[in-house]
Amino acid sequence: METEKFITIDDETISLRQALGYLRTSGDLQQFIMKILRQHIIEQELQSQSDLEIDASLLEQAIINFRLQNQLVQSDKFDQWLQSQSLTYTTFRNQFAAGLKMEEIKTKVTAEQIEDYFQKNQQSFEQVVLSRIVVEQFDKAVELKTQIKQAGASFEALAKEHSIAGEKAYNGMMGAILLSQLPPAIRDAISTAQPGDIVGPMELEGRYSLLRLEQRIPATLEGQLKRQLQEQLFEQWWQGKLQNKNVKLQVE
């Protein structure tokens, strides 16, 4: 094992034992091993579902999309790219097919969980659109709120004139934010607010904020959110497969 060739640099050989030693020294060995175990679990699942087939037309369309996105439509450019990646077209196509199978596996192993997980955590996936005015003094924040509430002053104009936050350039508009990403104090403050309501002043990091709720955006199980949940549940799935298994590193 000590003399087994793993990598060569000119005439110098790095054995597998040496390579693992380098990874241990750099602190990357655990991550390296986990990637191997992850792929092993995936390969086992693929073998157990030998009837899983990828539609040839879907595969060809995926390859076409890849070439379009990476400006590799012309045959000579595509051939040069394959050479730069040390790939033959057959290997490239097989990798794409494997990627599509991987997506099918993710969909299958998370199908029973994803809807239930989404329903239980739906509120944390909701988004809100907020505007804010941030000032240094509490009294100033109270004064600005009074101007808006009693004198009919424009929230946007006051944000542009008085706010010290970066959004002042956009009239205080912060854009869409996940509820789960907001500090608990803000989540609580806007929990019953309706679009157009102003809450605050609220002290955050030694400054005082007036927040206006612009819009609530309900979460739906589709698009990017669905993909994120599939990835999250898939990671939990393969790690669960490793539980109670005796994993040993044979090269010491």
Side-chain angles (χ1 to χ4, degrees):
M1 181 64 69
E2 182 65 41
T3 60
E4 180 184 351
K5 291 183 179 180
F6 182 54
I7 301 174
T8 58
I9 304 177
D10 293 332
D11 296 328
E12 186 178 1
T13 297
I14 299 176
S15 69
L16 178 59
R17 186 189 299 273
Q18 284 177 288
L20 294 176
Y22 293 158
L23 289 169
R24 181 182 285 113
T25 300
S26 67
D28 296 322
L29 182 59
Q30 182 69 20
Q31 183 180 8
F32 177 75
I33 292 172
M34 292 305 291
K35 285 184 177 181
I36 293 173
L37 294 175
R38 181 182 189 273
Q39 192 60 36
H40 179 69
I41 295 296
I42 292 170
E43 292 295 334
Q44 285 187 324
E45 186 67 22
L46 286 170
Q47 290 174 16
S48 71
Q49 300 192 29
S50 56
D51 60 337
L52 183 63
E53 295 292 338
I54 299 300
D55 187 292
S57 62
L58 292 178
L59 175 57
E60 294 305 323
Q61 187 60 54
I63 292 174
I64 290 171
N65 292 342
F66 174 83
R67 292 178 65 174
L68 287 170
Q69 292 168 5
N70 292 276
Q71 300 181 345
L72 298 171
V73 176
Q74 296 180 351
S75 296
D76 57 342
K77 286 188 177 181
F78 185 44
D79 290 340
Q80 289 174 7
W81 181 83
L82 288 173
Q83 291 178 11
S84 71
Q85 303 297 310
S86 300
L87 293 172
T88 65
Y89 178 75
T90 299
T91 303
F92 168 79
R93 192 175 188 279
N94 288 340
Q95 286 182 354
F96 248 84
L100 292 178
K101 285 185 178 180
M102 177 73 163
E103 292 306 311
E104 289 290 328
I105 291 295
K106 286 181 182 178
T107 299
K108 283 191 173 185
V109 301
T110 62
E112 294 183 0
Q113 300 171 275
I114 192 167
E115 183 68 37
D116 181 60
Y117 184 86
F118 172 74
Q119 293 297 334
K120 289 180 178 177
N121 299 276
Q122 186 171 356
Q123 187 175 5
S124 65
F125 302 133
E126 293 179 355
Q127 297 181 80
V128 290
V129 179
L130 298 173
S131 293
R132 69 174 178 175
I133 299 173
V134 182
V135 293
E136 295 281 2
Q137 296 85 24
F138 175 78
D139 290 345
K140 182 66 174 180
V142 172
E143 176 192 340
L144 294 176
K145 187 173 184 179
T146 300
Q147 289 183 36
I148 297 168
K149 289 287 191 179
Q150 298 182 10
S154 165
F155 186 100
E156 292 82 358
L158 293 180
K160 197 164 188 176
E161 181 180 356
H162 297 284
S163 183
I164 59 175
E167 306 85 28
K168 66 180 295 181
Y170 306 98
N171 297 327
M173 178 72 75
M174 298 174 67
I177 307 169
L178 280 171
L179 276 174
S180 59
Q181 293 179 340
L182 290 171
I186 293 181
R187 287 204 301 271
D188 292 342
I190 67 172
S191 62
T192 59
Q194 299 299 314
D197 288 352
I198 297 173
V199 298
M202 299 184 61
E203 182 180 2
L204 294 168
E205 299 179 350
R207 297 174 175 179
Y208 297 89
S209 298
L210 296 177
L211 298 168
R212 185 173 70 184
L213 177 64
E214 306 291 352
Q215 181 184 2
R216 292 187 182 274
I217 305 175
T220 56
L221 187 57
E222 57 187 26
Q224 184 178 0
L225 176 59
K226 186 173 184 178
R227 290 191 293 272
Q228 288 175 345
L229 293 184
Q230 279 182 335
E231 290 291 337
Q232 180 179 334
L233 293 172
F234 182 72
E235 292 302 303
Q236 294 175 6
W237 170 80
W238 78 260
Q239 290 174 22
K241 288 281 188 178
L242 280 179
Q243 289 183 355
N244 301 319
K245 290 187 181 297
N246 188 17
V247 179
K248 291 183 179 180
L249 182 62
Q250 300 298 328
V251 180
E252 298 294 344

